[in-house]
Amino acid sequence: MENEIKIGKKIFIRSAGKDEYWLQDIIYDNPKVLGLGNLVPVNKEKKQSSGGRLDILLKDPEQNSMYEVEVMLGETDPSHIIRSIEYWDNEKRKYPQRQHFCVLVAESFDRRYFNVIQLMSLNIPMIAVQADLLEVGGEKILNFTKIIDIYLEPEENEEDVKVVNEATWTNDAPWVHTNAKELIEIYKEQDSKINIGFTQSYVSINIDGKKRILAA
């Protein structure tokens, strides 16, 4: 059948006679395979001051951001995760003006370590990419899938944002509003450029553009 979809099976890279350096070379020679944008290679096996070598250093020339990539065959483990964070931190300290991303590449991510990486990604810009070597109809195909991306703060839904004004504080905390009005009258004798600011969290008195929080 012309439109027949072939079923492939996953095999491990070592069983295909390849090693970790082979996988590193593929990523370094064509960084786009990771699916992280138009990255370009910068360095490979970069020596670290703390010891060890960073597998791959990539760069996004448009964003001037760096990607510290650690590659591991088989299943990721704690040493792989720790090493990735350590090298990411080393490069981040060297070039603090740039944005840095910690990238882990492995053939498999155990559920336990998957959860650990996911939790860490809330505070560290970590990305996990799974490298799958598939055998389909006698041919071998290498595929990369991003399974954990950096955490981004969700945008506030405008419908959920509460409109706050003077009436809100008058109804919810009248004592705060009364005190603010009294202070305004006192300060006005010294400076006419004064007004009250209202937010969801606090009431402020603004004098010459400088904010002084009255209550929270």
Side-chain angles (χ1 to χ4, degrees):
M1 296 177 60
E2 292 183 4
N3 297 324
E4 181 182 0
I5 298 177
K6 297 180 179 180
I7 304 298
K9 67 173 182 177
K10 176 168 179 167
I11 60 175
F12 285 100
I13 291 174
R14 289 195 191 281
S15 66
K18 305 296 183 181
D19 58 17
E20 192 172 291
Y21 297 106
W22 172 81
L23 185 58
Q24 287 182 24
D25 288 340
I26 287 179
I27 296 171
Y28 189 79
D29 293 339
N30 187 13
K32 292 181 182 179
V33 297
L34 293 178
L36 304 178
N38 296 321
L39 308 184
V40 296
V42 176
N43 209 333
K44 184 167 59 174
E45 291 290 317
K46 184 179 181 183
K47 190 174 181 180
Q48 300 290 295
S49 57
S50 59
R53 294 177 182 274
L54 171 63
D55 286 344
I56 302 170
L57 180 61
L58 304 175
K59 179 180 179 179
D60 183 334
E62 294 182 3
Q63 302 296 327
N64 197 30
S65 53
M66 309 300 292
Y67 290 74
E68 287 75 35
V69 184
E70 276 297 298
V71 178
M72 184 173 183
L73 294 191
E75 188 175 290
T76 190
D77 59 23
S79 64
H80 183 211
I81 299 171
I82 293 171
R83 188 169 61 251
S84 300
I85 296 173
E86 180 185 359
Y87 296 165
W88 163 80
D89 186 59
N90 287 345
E91 296 299 317
K92 185 172 179 289
R93 290 174 186 272
K94 287 181 182 177
Y95 308 101
Q97 74 279 10
R98 298 175 181 173
Q99 188 173 16
H100 293 258
F101 298 93
C102 175
V103 183
L104 295 86
V105 178
E107 291 184 87
S108 178
F109 289 83
D110 179 88
R111 172 59 59 181
R112 177 185 175 189
Y113 299 128
F114 178 90
N115 291 337
V116 169
I117 297 168
Q118 200 166 40
L119 285 171
M120 286 184 169
S121 69
L122 298 177
N123 298 295
I124 298 173
M126 299 184 74
I127 301 171
V129 177
Q130 185 163 302
D132 293 309
L133 183 60
L134 305 174
E135 192 171 54
V136 182
E139 296 183 354
K140 294 180 177 62
I141 300 171
L142 183 62
N143 183 65
F144 294 88
T145 306
K146 181 168 56 177
I147 60 173
I148 297 178
D149 205 347
I150 57 173
Y151 174 75
L152 297 175
E153 287 282 353
E155 293 184 3
E156 288 185 337
N157 189 333
E158 292 183 359
E159 295 180 356
D160 296 335
V161 177
K162 183 181 178 181
V163 177
V164 177
N165 51 34
E166 186 173 356
T168 306
W169 279 89
T170 301
N171 294 328
D172 296 348
W175 61 93
V176 174
H177 180 256
T178 300
N179 290 339
K181 295 287 283 185
E182 291 178 357
L183 285 171
I184 284 290
E185 292 303 317
I186 294 172
Y187 277 113
K188 269 187 176 180
E189 296 177 2
Q190 303 172 15
D191 195 328
S192 59
K193 295 180 180 179
I194 184 170
N195 59 69
I196 304 177
F198 300 94
T199 74
Q200 282 186 284
S201 305
Y202 58 81
V203 172
S204 66
I205 293 179
N206 309 316
I207 304 174
D208 289 329
K210 295 181 179 180
K211 184 181 296 182
R212 292 167 171 79
I213 296 176
L214 175 63

